Amino acid sequence: MNVFDRTALARDRSAYALEQANRAIKCAATLIELSDREREILCPALLEPISCLETELAETLVSLGASVLITDVLPSGENIGAWRDQIAGPLIIAVLRNRDAGAAPHVDSFSDDDLIVCQFDRHTVSLQQALCKAEHIRAQRDPVLCGPAVYRSEHPAGKSVAVIGAGIVSLISALEFARAGYAVDIFEKSPDPRGRPDWTSMGCTHGGEGVRMFSLTECDNYHERTGTTGRELHQFINTGLDNMGWGLGEENRFDAGDLTWKAEFRDVPIFLADHYNEDIFALNHESYRLWRDMMEAEPSLFEDAMLTEGLLRICRTEAYHHKQLQRQKHVRTFVRELDRADLVEAYPALETGCANGEIHGGIEVEGFTLDIHRFVRNVLDAAQRLGITFHWSTPVEEILYSGGAVSGIRVDGASRRADPSYDRGGAAL
């Protein structure tokens, strides 16, 4: 009996998988019926209808490279075993049960190192939600996302840390290590920024002008989230820069790697892009709390750094003003709304723009600005007082590994051992 005649392949190109695991999760869904909304969102851009016999299920899953199965019929142990033998785990089976489907099997949720089985009520959990849950389960179980354990000790005497890069994230991480008692060396390929070298030789932190902004809503994932469906998704990636798109020219200018990245970016489903954006906002809130803690605990780091509290979002049209107002309230960063009269009173420099209609209104939100160059000078001075050693104009030639974990670095042809090592982004290697 052909019980899997509504099997479909969904290319779940999740943000977690793309950005952190560098691969796409593939999901096969076997469902008796798709809702109209599911068809609208997932077809035809994200679903490729196929069919197979139950006896061919494992072979089909393997041929698709699927690591997730969403179904209303639990596969046989034989099919599951054959699937597990060919696809690296963890594998996920999500059973969507209909309350009125008497024949639907009862499945207890369970998991082991290679297989997770969970069940949901089909009336309360949609296919999109099931895909999203599976994506999170897979990401949390994937060892690629975890990385080697960072050494922790209440008595770190004799322990050393090598930090690669002297950008803002690495500098703050180095301060934390030094205060915890570690001996810290920072290796930076650029010269000491306090010597005012040519800014083009510097990275993002030290290059350019010094003004920087912290905003809770600034770090979007930039995937298409307009609600458009079908094959018209993500057309902005093909739109030229002069029309507010990302297109840089004809596709024949790009190599296979460029085109692969473009396809993977384009194929992230709207609902997963939305979910990923919420994760970014949550991370920003946590980061904001840490910045506030630093301002209170170490005000000397911010002396003469032109720290200015609060941000103003200027809106040119009523529609954009409404959209931004909803967005800022959703992210919990809203402070107050200003009409043109309020703007002129609070910010006299905007009077002309308000008078000629170029500005509709504004929204004050949480956040801050500062001069990053002045702030970094304070951080560098504090780091040296803590005994941190800087190696300027010293590129790291190689990161050394032992047993899959970072064991040291190679600089000027010589090996240096440190535990642990941190890269330029401040993430454990």
Side-chain angles (χ1 to χ4, degrees):
M1 181 176 63
N2 192 355
V3 297
F4 292 102
D5 60 353
R6 286 188 179 272
T7 304
L9 167 65
R11 290 176 176 82
D12 174 3
R13 301 189 182 278
S14 71
Y16 283 116
L18 287 176
E19 300 297 333
Q20 301 184 55
N22 193 29
R23 68 161 177 260
I25 296 172
K26 291 186 177 179
C27 174
T30 66
L31 297 167
I32 290 177
E33 183 178 0
L34 292 175
S35 69
D36 291 339
R37 180 58 176 160
E38 287 165 345
R39 290 187 182 281
E40 179 186 359
I41 292 179
L42 299 174
C43 299
L46 303 176
L47 290 179
E48 178 184 327
I50 64 172
S51 64
C52 68
L53 298 172
E54 183 176 7
T55 55
E56 300 171 347
L57 177 61
E59 181 180 349
T60 302
L61 292 173
V62 171
S63 68
L64 297 174
S67 56
V68 179
L69 177 67
I70 301 177
T71 180
D72 59 355
V73 179
L74 184 67
S76 66
E78 181 180 357
N79 271 318
I80 294 175
W83 184 27
R84 294 176 72 174
D85 289 343
Q86 297 295 322
I87 300 293
L91 305 180
I92 302 169
I93 302 176
V95 181
L96 293 180
R97 300 180 59 214
N98 287 310
R99 280 176 288 184
D100 56 352
H106 176 77
V107 182
D108 291 325
S109 299
F110 69 92
S111 67
D112 58 27
D113 291 339
D114 298 317
L115 178 69
I116 301 113
V117 177
C118 47
Q119 63 172 337
F120 306 102
D121 185 343
R122 185 72 174 91
H123 294 273
T124 59
V125 176
S126 67
L127 177 57
Q128 301 97 288
Q129 291 170 323
L131 278 168
C132 197
K133 291 176 185 292
E135 178 249 1
H136 271 273
I137 292 171
R138 174 82 185 194
Q140 292 165 2
R141 287 297 192 98
D142 197 324
V144 174
L145 302 179
C146 303
V150 176
Y151 182 86
R152 304 285 185 184
S153 172
E154 295 180 0
H155 306 285
K159 291 292 182 179
S160 62
V161 176
V163 178
I164 305 172
I168 184 61
V169 174
S170 294
L171 289 175
I172 298 300
S173 300
L175 288 180
E176 293 299 316
F177 278 122
R179 289 174 181 137
Y182 291 87
V184 182
D185 286 79
I186 298 179
F187 297 85
E188 170 57 55
K189 68 178 181 179
S190 300
D192 187 337
R194 291 170 293 185
R196 298 185 180 278
D198 178 7
W199 71 268
T200 61
S201 66
M202 314 300 287
C204 293
T205 296
H206 309 292
E209 298 295 334
V211 178
R212 298 292 190 276
M213 171 178 68
F214 181 93
S215 164
L216 288 157
T217 59
E218 203 65 25
C219 300
D220 291 275
N221 60 25
Y222 295 104
H223 292 97
E224 180 72 52
R225 295 188 306 280
T226 63
T228 306
T229 59
R231 300 194 180 278
E232 298 303 313
L233 277 170
H234 313 296
Q235 286 302 302
F236 75 97
I237 204 169
N238 297 320
T239 304
L241 291 174
D242 54 346
N243 291 314
M244 303 300 290
W246 282 18
L248 297 178
E250 300 298 326
E251 290 204 352
N252 57 17
R253 296 179 52 193
F254 305 122
D255 60 23
D258 296 330
L259 295 177
T260 298
W261 176 89
K262 180 178 177 181
E264 290 180 340
F265 184 92
R266 182 192 60 229
D267 288 347
V268 174
I270 292 174
F271 67 93
L272 281 181
D274 280 333
H275 196 93
Y276 181 37
N277 231 39
E278 294 304 313
D279 290 342
I280 293 174
F281 293 151
L283 179 64
N284 287 348
H285 272 284
E286 178 64 13
S287 177
Y288 188 49
R289 183 187 66 79
L290 295 173
W291 274 107
R292 305 303 306 182
D293 290 346
M294 184 188 301
M295 292 173 187
E296 182 176 351
E298 303 175 78
S300 61
L301 295 180
F302 298 85
E303 288 183 0
D304 300 320
M306 301 178 68
L307 176 65
T308 303
E309 298 283 359
L311 302 174
L312 173 66
R313 298 286 185 184
I314 299 175
C315 306
R316 297 188 62 181
T317 66
E318 181 178 1
Y320 184 74
H321 185 107
H322 177 74
K323 181 179 179 180
Q324 279 298 312
L325 186 62
Q326 297 301 113
R327 175 180 171 83
Q328 301 301 329
K329 288 182 176 180
H330 171 73
V331 185
R332 306 188 311 280
T333 185
F334 172 79
V335 175
R336 69 165 177 151
E337 183 179 8
L338 298 90
D339 59 20
R340 286 172 179 157
D342 296 329
L343 279 174
V344 171
E345 180 179 357
Y347 305 94
L350 300 178
E351 181 176 4
T352 300
C354 291
N356 62 24
E358 292 184 354
I359 298 176
H360 173 80
I363 305 169
E364 289 182 348
V365 299
E366 293 190 59
F368 62 89
T369 58
L370 52 67
D371 186 318
I372 192 69
H373 297 165
R374 297 185 182 189
F375 175 71
V376 164
R377 285 200 292 270
N378 292 338
V379 173
L380 291 174
D381 292 343
Q384 288 187 317
R385 289 194 295 270
L386 287 171
I388 293 175
T389 302
F390 287 89
H391 304 266
W392 300 107
S393 303
T394 306
V396 172
E397 299 164 353
E398 184 182 3
I399 298 174
L400 305 176
Y401 295 85
S402 177
V406 173
S407 60
I409 58 177
R410 189 180 305 280
V411 179
D412 293 332
S415 300
R416 299 177 62 102
R417 302 290 169 174
D419 184 23
S421 295
Y422 266 67
D423 74 353
R424 183 179 300 275
L429 292 172

